[in-house]
Amino acid sequence: MLQAAEGKRLYIQEVSVRDGFQIEPVFVPTADKIALIDRLSRSGLAKIEVTSFSSPKAIPALADAAEVMAGIQRMPGVEYAALVPNAKGGERALACQVDELNIVMSASESHNRANLRMSREQSLAQFADIVALARGRSEVNASLSTAFGCPFEGEVGQAEVLRLVERIAGLGIRRLTLCDTTGMAHPAQVQQLCAAVIARHPQIMLTAHFHDTRGMGLANVLAALEAGVDRFDASLGGLGGCPFAPGASGNVCTEDMVHMLQAMGYATGVDLAGLIACSRTLPGLVGHDVPGQVAKAGPSSRRYPLPEGAGQPRLAGAAPACGGAAA
């Protein structure tokens, strides 16, 4: 069972400006993206996935990838990553001097074909090309989508996921993200798979990436922690989602996750107040409310003045103000 931490360091990696903004129907202006990334850079995050070097026709919300990368102020100690779909996107990202290329494939064949329009074998061949391209110029992280379940096929067996991790590691990739793409994971499954990957590939820097589609995101973070994971993707305000999970909420919320981990005694290096301030700007940028909770309620350390008249005898039959048993 997970015990309270004693200052163990965890690494929080922000994905809202890529994973979140890419599915928004409005285009967040380039200057606003840059300003938000600069604020996030000062909050103590370990990594920010800034953008995607995909076709502007495919992802018009991130058509300004090069401009954003050129405009941000890079903070020492923060890695700046970009998703790249192919070698052409990799060249564009490397020209912008990204610290990490994030390459993606799915653990299930059907999701890979639906999402990337290629087979898993074709994706692995493309991975090899990008690894060769990036050698000596940038780190490479492989994100394995649907690692905990596929919206088309259902459960993806642990043995199959481990087989693909073996193939990825065989390409010389030493960074890996296990992604719960449509929020199908549960804590027992998360603990077992993460522990198995760590046991077989201790050389890999493992990240866990969860969605809160079915309300299990933070529980899955705790399960991955128990297995030994110390790096977590999250999205400011809980932005994000997957087109193959209609109506789904987005990624695990960064400020909610940091609040939980810090309350448990973990060291994240992150300024929670700064994150909350950033999150409160999101509705104005995307034009709607966001799912995150801590930015609305405030941290649990927040204290309120005692209501006027509190402590006076309550009239017989009066209901308590916040629920609970009446006297």
Side-chain angles (χ1 to χ4, degrees):
M1 174 177 270
L2 194 66
Q3 301 296 317
E6 295 183 1
K8 178 181 177 181
R9 177 63 196 271
L10 303 178
Y11 301 89
I12 311 303
Q13 304 172 166
E14 179 61 43
V15 301
S16 61
V17 287
R18 195 282 298 174
D19 203 351
F21 285 174
Q22 73 176 7
I23 67 167
E24 290 295 330
V26 299
F27 180 84
V28 177
T30 303
D32 290 340
K33 289 183 180 126
I34 291 169
L36 178 59
I37 293 164
D38 286 347
R39 290 185 71 183
L40 290 168
S41 290
R42 295 190 292 270
S43 71
L45 295 160
K47 184 194 300 183
I48 301 172
E49 189 175 42
V50 174
T51 189
S52 173
F53 284 87
S54 303
S55 164
K57 292 182 180 179
I59 307 181
L62 303 180
D64 55 357
E67 292 80 4
V68 171
M69 285 299 309
I72 60 175
Q73 297 178 4
R74 303 194 185 201
M75 291 289 291
V78 182
E79 285 193 319
Y80 296 90
L83 185 144
V84 297
N86 48 41
K88 180 179 179 181
E91 284 283 15
R92 290 174 57 210
L94 289 169
C96 293
Q97 298 181 318
V98 300
D99 298 315
E100 179 187 270
L101 303 181
N102 185 24
I103 55 181
V104 181
M105 68 172 289
S106 302
S108 69
E109 184 72 15
S110 58
H111 189 272
N112 208 69
R113 290 183 180 276
N115 194 41
L116 301 175
R117 300 183 180 181
M118 65 180 73
S119 69
R120 292 178 299 175
E121 286 299 322
Q122 288 173 313
S123 286
L124 287 166
Q126 188 166 262
F127 277 17
D129 293 340
I130 295 173
V131 168
L133 180 70
R135 189 168 292 119
R137 303 168 69 187
S138 171
E139 299 289 347
V140 176
N141 181 85
S143 288
L144 190 57
S145 300
T146 65
F148 301 95
C150 170
F152 309 120
E153 299 177 20
E155 182 180 355
V156 179
Q158 180 172 297
E160 180 63 8
V161 177
L162 292 175
R163 183 187 72 81
L164 290 169
V165 172
E166 189 74 36
R167 294 284 302 278
I168 290 168
L171 297 174
I173 296 172
R174 293 295 178 264
R175 297 182 176 202
L176 174 73
T177 302
L178 295 176
C179 303
D180 181 28
T181 310
T182 57
M184 296 173 68
H186 60 79
Q189 176 193 27
V190 168
Q191 197 280 334
Q192 291 166 10
L193 179 57
C194 290
V197 171
I198 290 169
R200 287 164 174 75
H201 301 281
Q203 80 284 3
I204 283 181
M205 182 188 293
L206 182 63
T207 295
H209 177 114
F210 298 115
H211 286 233
D212 205 33
T213 310
R214 293 168 179 85
M216 289 193 282
L218 290 181
N220 288 330
V221 168
L222 295 180
L225 264 175
E226 187 174 12
V229 176
D230 61 4
R231 294 179 181 271
F232 295 90
D233 283 350
S235 180
L236 192 72
L239 285 182
C242 176
F244 301 121
S249 56
N251 298 58
V252 168
C253 173
T254 311
E255 63 270 23
D256 291 1
M257 183 176 74
V258 168
H259 175 263
M260 177 187 74
L261 295 172
Q262 290 184 352
M264 295 175 69
Y266 288 97
T268 66
V270 176
D271 171 20
L272 178 59
L275 275 188
I276 291 173
C278 287
S279 183
R280 288 174 176 164
T281 70
L282 288 177
L285 294 177
V286 299
H288 60 79
D289 194 15
V290 296
Q293 297 299 305
V294 171
K296 297 168 186 168
S300 59
S301 58
R302 181 178 180 179
R303 295 295 176 263
Y304 300 85
L306 199 64
E308 186 176 349
Q312 299 298 317
R314 183 155 36 88
L315 295 175
C322 291

